[in-house]
C-alpha cells in the first residue's frame, strides 16, 4: 500500500516537473520575452498596459518586434476617430505570426489570435455594411424610377382627361 502511494506521488511530481519545462517562471511574467535587433520585446501584459495607456503608436518599422506590432494593431482597432486600414493591420498581424513562429510567446500568440479574430469580425461587419448600403442605393434608385413612371402616367391621364373635355365642349 505504501509503495503505491509513493509511486503515485513520484508520478505526480514528475508530471508537475514536466509541465513547467519550456515555460518562463511566474516571476518573469512581466520581463521581456525576446529581442529584435538589440531591442527588448515585451510580453502580452506590457503590450496590454501600453494599449490601456492609449498612447498613439506609429507603424512599426521592419525591425519592430511582435509586441510593438500587436500594440499598434490593438490601438488602431480601438481608435474610434477614424476607420483603420484593415489591409495594413492584417499585414502587421501576418508579420507578427511569422515573428512568433521564430520566438514563441504564449501570451503574445493568444493576443495575436484575439486581434486577428477581432480584425476578421470588423472586416465582415464592414462588408455587411457595404452590402446593406449598396442594397439601399439600389432600392432608392428603383423608388426614383417608379416615381418617375408614376408622374409620367399622371401626365398621360391628365392629357387624356383634357382631350375628353375638349371633345365634350365642341359638339
Amino acid at each position: 500500500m505504501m509503495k503505491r502511494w509513493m509511486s503515485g506521488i513520484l508520478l505526480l511530481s514528475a508530471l508537475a516537473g514536466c509541465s513547467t519545462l519550456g515555460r518562463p517562471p511566474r516571476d518573469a511574467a512581466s520581463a521581456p520575452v525576446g529581442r529584435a535587433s538589440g531591442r527588448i520585446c515585451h510580453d502580452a501584459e506590457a503590450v496590454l498596459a501600453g494599449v490601456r495607456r492609449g498612447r498613439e503608436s506609429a507603424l512599426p518599422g521592419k525591425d519592430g518586434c511582435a509586441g510593438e506590432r500587436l500594440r499598434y494593431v490593438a490601438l488602431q482597432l480601438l481608435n474610434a476617430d477614424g476607420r483603420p486600414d484593415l489591409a495594413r493591420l492584417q499585414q502587421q498581424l501576418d508579420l507578427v505570426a511569422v515573428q512568433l513562429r521564430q520566438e514563441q510567446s504564449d501570451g503574445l500568440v493568444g493576443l495575436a489570435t484575439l486581434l486577428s479574430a477581432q480584425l476578421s469580425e470588423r472586416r465582415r461587419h464592414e462588408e455587411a455594411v457595404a452590402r446593406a448600403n449598396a442594397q439601399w442605393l439600389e432600392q432608392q434608385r428603383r423608388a426614383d424610377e417608379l416615381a418617375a413612371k408614376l408622374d409620367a402616367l399622371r401626365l398621360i391621364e391628365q392629357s387624356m382627361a383634357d382631350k375628353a373635355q375638349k371633345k365634350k365642349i365642341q359638339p
Side-chain angles (χ1 to χ4, degrees), residues 6-23:
M6 290 302 285
S7 63
I9 290 174
L10 281 172
L11 180 64
L12 288 176
S13 64
L15 288 175
C18 290
S19 68
T20 58
L21 288 178
R23 288 188 187 166

Side-chain angles (χ1 to χ4, degrees), residues 56-60 68-79 82-97 112 115-116 118-120 122-123 126:
E56 189 58 35
S57 168
L59 180 65
E68 291 173 355
R69 292 181 194 284
L70 289 175
R71 182 177 26 240
Y72 172 77
V73 170
L75 285 172
Q76 291 299 312
L77 286 174
L78 292 174
N79 186 5
R83 294 177 54 166
D85 182 8
L86 298 181
R88 177 175 287 176
L89 295 180
Q90 184 61 51
Q91 180 185 27
Q92 291 299 313
L93 285 176
D94 292 342
L95 289 172
V96 165
L115 290 175
S116 180
Q118 186 176 13
L119 184 64
S120 66
R122 173 84 61 100
R123 184 179 295 119
E126 285 191 5

Side-chain angles (χ1 to χ4, degrees), residues 118-136:
Q118 186 176 13
L119 184 64
S120 66
E121 185 69 27
R122 173 84 61 100
R123 184 179 295 119
R124 194 170 59 213
H125 173 71
E126 285 191 5
E127 288 171 357
V129 167
R131 278 193 309 272
N133 206 9
Q135 288 175 349
W136 181 81

Side-chain angles (χ1 to χ4, degrees), residues 32-53:
V33 293
R35 291 187 172 270
S37 302
R39 293 174 35 191
I40 296 174
C41 292
H42 297 285
D43 65 349
E45 289 181 24
V47 170
L48 291 174
V51 171
R52 263 185 256 125
R53 283 191 299 265

